[in-house]
Structures are given as C-alpha cells and as structure tokens.
C-alpha cells in the first residue's frame, strides 16, 4: 500500500481510555511508531491533543463507536483533520485483537488514504440535532403518559372522552384535578369557567 500522509494517528476509543498510535516518517520508507494511552477525561483528552501536536500529526482517525467518539472529536476538532470511520468498513482481520493493534491498523489505513470519512456536521448543527432528538423523546413520553391516563379512565368507567374532545385541555384538566382531589359527585362546572356543566351527574 502506497503511503500518502507523513504524520497521522489512529485512535482506539473506549469508555475510559483511548489508545493512540502515531505513524510518522518519509512516505517512501517504513514509518516510525509511537503509542500512548490516555484517559477519556477532559484532562486526558487535552493531554492527547498536546501529544499529537508535539508529534506534528496532521490527520487523526477514530471509529464511530457508540457515543464515546464525540468528546474526543470535540476536543480535537479545529486542531487536526479528523476522520470518523465506519467500524464495519475498517474491521481488522480475524485473530488476536488488542487495543494497540486496532489503533495501529487504523493509522495504517489512514496513512494510505484507505478510509472514507463519515459525514460529521458542524458543532452548531450537532447541538441542534441533539435538542430536536431530545424534544422528540419528550413528546413521545408525553403521548405515552396521555394514553396511560386514557386507559386508567376507561378501566374506572369514567367517560370523559364521551363529553370532551380533549381531556387534556383546560376543562379536562380541571375535571381531572377535581377527581384527584376527591370530588366524586354532584360537583357543578359552570360554562362561564370553561368547564363541563354537570348537574347532579356522576363522573
């Protein structure tokens, strides 16, 4: 394989540690290797960045393993050309696997230009995407809770849905609060208050 990058690094990322392998040297000769292990704390990742800068590394590759790559990307972004590799595309040959071998394998592939990077949007777009995903989860949880309340009311034979189009509107919430407060029968709701006129009827 023909080398294309003089100084590059492969990172094998885990939850608590990251193993970094740097390959450097002339393109037409066998590269020298330097390997270090760092913690994934902010202090450890800053030390990783300084170490890569000391070795004048220009390109860094890591696998998109879960969410563990994100803090490392955030620290190194702007200082190096980063490549996020699909784990399936850079899978090593079968055999005894170690963190050091995995990091070295990534560095070798990157040095020869054999890794196609996944698209990683800019930081502001990543933040917006996280917020929209979280909002979607909250909406899903809210809908699940509303469905659960519907089921409980039906199990208790409380037919609010027969007289209200939305039991979670203003009127519906007032009735639900009254039920929770123990108001069981003959409680009147005036229409001027936006409630249900209930003249002597049970819920």
């Amino acid at each position: 394989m023909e080398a294309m990058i003089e100084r590059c690094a492969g990172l094998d990322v885990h939850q608590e540690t990251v193993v970094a392998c740097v390959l450097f040297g002339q393109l037409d000769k066998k590269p020298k290797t330097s390997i270090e292990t760092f913690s994934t704390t902010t202090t450890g990742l800053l030390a990783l960045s300084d170490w890569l800068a000391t070795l004048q590394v220009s390109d860094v590759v890591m696998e998109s393993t879960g969410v563990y790559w994100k803090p490392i990307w955030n620290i190194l972004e702007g200082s190096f050309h980063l490549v996020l590799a699909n784990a399936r595309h850079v899978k090593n040959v079968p055999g005894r696997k170690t963190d050091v071998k995995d990091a070295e394998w990534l560095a070798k592939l990157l040095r020869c230009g054999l890794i196609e990077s996944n698209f990683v949007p800019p930081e502001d777009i990543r933040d917006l995407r996280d917020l929209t995903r979280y909002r979607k989860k909250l909406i899903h949880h809210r809908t699940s809770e509303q469905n659960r309340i519907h089921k409980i009311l039906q199990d208790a034979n409380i037919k609010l849905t027969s007289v209200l189009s939305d039991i979670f509107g203003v009127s519906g919430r007032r009735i639900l609060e009254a039920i929770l407060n123990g108001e069981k029968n003959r409680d009147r709701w005036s229409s001027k208050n936006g409630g249900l006129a209930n003249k002597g009827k049970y819920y």
Side-chain angles (χ1 to χ4, degrees):
M1 295 185 293
E2 183 179 354
M4 300 178 62
I5 302 175
E6 286 190 357
R7 295 176 177 268
C8 62
L11 306 181
D12 188 55
V13 181
H14 299 276
Q15 181 177 357
E16 297 181 356
T17 60
V18 51
V19 178
C21 175
V22 174
L23 299 181
F24 57 96
Q26 297 182 9
L27 298 179
D28 57 347
K29 295 182 180 180
K30 183 178 180 179
K32 298 179 182 179
T33 303
S34 182
I35 299 174
E36 292 286 346
T37 300
F38 300 87
S39 70
T40 52
T41 61
T42 301
T43 302
L45 296 181
L46 290 174
L48 168 63
S49 179
D50 293 340
W51 181 71
L52 294 174
T54 301
L55 294 177
Q56 300 179 352
V57 171
S58 59
D59 296 69
V60 178
V61 61
M62 68 191 81
E63 292 183 25
S64 55
T65 306
V67 297
Y68 299 147
W69 64 272
K70 292 184 178 181
I72 301 172
W73 186 282
N74 293 336
I75 293 292
L76 301 183
E77 188 177 23
S79 300
F80 309 92
H81 176 255
L82 300 180
V83 176
L84 184 65
N86 189 311
R88 295 180 61 184
H89 296 166
V90 297
K91 186 176 181 180
N92 204 343
V93 293
R96 296 185 61 184
K97 289 172 58 65
T98 65
D99 299 341
V100 173
K101 287 184 177 180
D102 286 344
E104 188 175 4
W105 175 251
L106 288 172
K108 286 180 179 179
L109 292 178
L110 180 63
R111 181 174 169 85
C112 298
L114 297 178
I115 297 181
E116 182 178 355
S117 177
N118 290 340
F119 172 70
V120 179
E123 182 178 3
D124 54 344
I125 301 300
R126 298 200 301 269
D127 292 340
L128 178 61
R129 185 166 61 179
D130 289 340
L131 287 175
T132 54
R133 286 176 175 174
Y134 180 58
R135 180 178 181 272
K136 185 177 180 179
K137 282 187 176 181
L138 291 179
I139 293 175
H140 176 72
H141 291 326
R142 183 184 66 182
T143 302
S144 297
E145 288 301 310
Q146 289 177 343
N147 291 337
R148 187 175 66 86
I149 293 174
H150 273 290
K151 183 179 182 301
I152 292 174
L153 292 175
Q154 291 298 326
D155 290 344
N157 202 28
I158 300 175
K159 304 297 185 179
L160 288 183
T161 53
S162 298
V163 293
L164 292 176
S165 59
D166 181 13
I167 66 172
F168 299 103
V170 176
S171 299
R173 288 178 182 274
R174 289 179 178 176
I175 295 175
L176 291 175
E177 288 177 2
I179 294 174
L180 292 174
N181 291 332
E183 300 178 25
K184 297 181 179 179
N185 58 2
R186 301 184 184 279
D187 297 316
R188 303 173 184 274
W189 295 80
S190 63
S191 57
K192 68 179 180 179
N193 291 328
L196 175 67
N198 183 14
K199 298 181 179 180
K201 296 182 180 179
Y202 290 90
Y203 293 133

